[in-house]
């Protein structure tokens, strides 16, 4: 069953339209990548889904038209957005950030169990549980941002460049944990990523955006086999 479907989505900042015909489809439990050059509209596409930019076209989630809903309404339906730049709350501790992710939930035991699960997924956070988020390394902040999104127990996770600014080894660790989260939780994902190798380690299919439009969609294997994808995104 299709969980999320975008058909000819457009979006603008004030008078300037920056995406102009983005279509993609995420099955229940599936993971779809969005690739594209800087400025292609990847972040804006995620914002259109989470309701943080005004969008046109069709955005359907779990059979319901969600275009035009407020960000809090979209979140309440089960979509968690890990934004570019992570968006952790610097003055709050790691534990408090995780609890913020769970603010709509009831059931203290289940929430406590999920905090434990986050610390198992990202063991580096265990020692820092009482530290302010602002004092964490970039990699730890990214782990916290993913953990906080998981704490909402979403049906769909929107991930924006989880590898940005991280050393290659750290980026790989973060992606391995997200992959494990996907396998164990079945949460569907839309994964924006400049590093196509990392994206392909996580997703089943991907869409390539060019200047605000869907230019190409294929399975990971199909895309890896295309010369233009290899040249543009896989370094050869
Ligand atoms: N708040 C904003 N106001 C006006 N224009 C914006 C705003 N945010 C982004 N843009 C423009 O919209 C276009 C798409 O930006 P977007 O951030 O979606 O691209 P992106 O694919 O995520 O790029 P990157 O890989 O650099 O993160 C760009 O031309 C950008 O300059
Ligand atoms: Mg971006």
């Amino acid at each position: 069953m299709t969980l999320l479907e975008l058909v000819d989505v457009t979006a603008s900042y004030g008078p300037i339209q920056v995406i102009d015909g983005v279509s993609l489809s995420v099955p229940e439990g599936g993971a779809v990548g969005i690739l594209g050059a800087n400025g292609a509209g990847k972040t804006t596409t995620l914002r259109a889904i989470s309701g943080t930019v005004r969008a046109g076209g069709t955005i359907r989630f779990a059979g319901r038209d969600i275009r035009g809903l407020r960000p809090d309404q979209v979140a309440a339906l089960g979509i968690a957005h890990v934004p570019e730049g992570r968006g952790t709350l610097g003055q709050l501790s790691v534990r408090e950030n995780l609890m913020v992710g769970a603010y709509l939930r009831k059931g203290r035991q289940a929430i406590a169990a999920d905090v434990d699960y986050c610390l198992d997924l990202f063991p580096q956070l265990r020692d820092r549980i009482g530290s302010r988020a602002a004092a964490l390394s970039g990699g730890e902040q990214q782990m916290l941002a993913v953990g906080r999104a998981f704490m909402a127990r979403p049906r769909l996770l929107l991930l924006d460049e989880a590898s940005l600014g991280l050393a290659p080894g750290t980026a790989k660790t973060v992606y391995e944990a997200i992959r494990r989260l996907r396998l164990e939780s079945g949460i569907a994902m839309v994964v924006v990523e400049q590093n196509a190798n990392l994206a392909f380690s996580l997703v089943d299919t991907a869409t390539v955006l060019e200047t605000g439009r869907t230019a190409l969609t294929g399975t990971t294997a199909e895309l890896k086999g295309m010369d233009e994808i290899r040249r543009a995104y896989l370094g050869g």
Side-chain angles (χ1 to χ4, degrees):
M1 196 193 107
T2 302
L3 181 64
L4 175 77
E5 190 169 37
L6 272 57
V7 184
D8 280 332
V9 169
T10 61
S12 21
Y13 295 106
I16 305 164
Q17 184 166 326
V18 298
I19 64 173
D20 174 31
V22 174
S23 299
L24 62 85
S25 171
V26 185
E28 192 91 55
V32 173
I34 301 181
L35 305 176
N38 290 119
K42 305 181 296 298
T43 294
T44 305
T45 300
L46 295 190
R47 287 189 181 145
I49 299 166
S50 65
T52 46
V53 68
R54 183 198 297 267
T58 304
I59 307 177
R60 253 193 308 271
F61 177 70
R64 163 170 184 180
D65 183 2
I66 63 164
R67 187 177 64 84
L69 295 186
R70 292 191 314 264
D72 60 303
Q73 294 173 315
V74 174
L77 290 174
I79 298 182
H81 189 169
V82 180
E84 205 173 39
R86 298 154 194 152
T88 52
L89 302 165
Q91 298 309 311
L92 299 187
S93 70
V94 167
R95 181 182 295 285
E96 287 163 345
N97 268 276
L98 293 175
M99 296 310 287
V100 167
Y103 82 104
L104 287 175
R105 294 173 59 186
K106 295 191 174 64
R108 284 169 57 162
Q109 282 184 351
I111 292 172
D114 284 351
V115 169
D116 273 347
Y117 180 76
C118 284
L119 300 179
D120 189 49
L121 203 57
F122 298 114
Q124 273 176 267
L125 294 181
R126 197 177 286 279
D127 298 336
R128 311 300 308 272
I129 190 79
S131 305
R132 284 184 310 129
L136 301 180
S137 71
E140 289 163 348
Q141 286 186 26
Q142 189 65 61
M143 294 170 191
L144 178 57
V146 172
R148 187 178 72 173
F150 164 74
M151 288 303 297
R153 281 287 184 160
R155 292 175 74 183
L156 176 71
L157 194 58
L158 309 176
L159 281 173
D160 199 345
E161 306 231 22
S163 73
L164 196 70
L166 306 186
T170 307
K172 192 156 174 268
T173 302
V174 168
Y175 267 82
E176 276 165 5
I178 298 169
R179 188 178 154 76
R180 182 182 147 203
L181 175 64
R182 185 185 165 201
L183 292 174
E184 292 179 350
S185 69
I187 298 173
M189 300 183 176
V190 180
V191 182
V192 165
E193 189 46 73
Q194 293 263 342
N195 182 329
N197 279 312
L198 285 176
F200 288 158
S201 74
L202 179 62
V203 303
D204 311 314
T205 64
T207 289
V208 178
L209 297 191
E210 277 172 15
T211 56
R213 285 172 196 267
T214 296
L216 192 64
T217 294
T219 65
T220 303
E222 284 166 353
L223 292 167
K224 278 180 175 170
M226 290 179 190
D227 283 344
E228 64 268 35
I229 298 291
R230 281 212 291 271
R231 272 198 304 273
Y233 300 105
L234 297 171

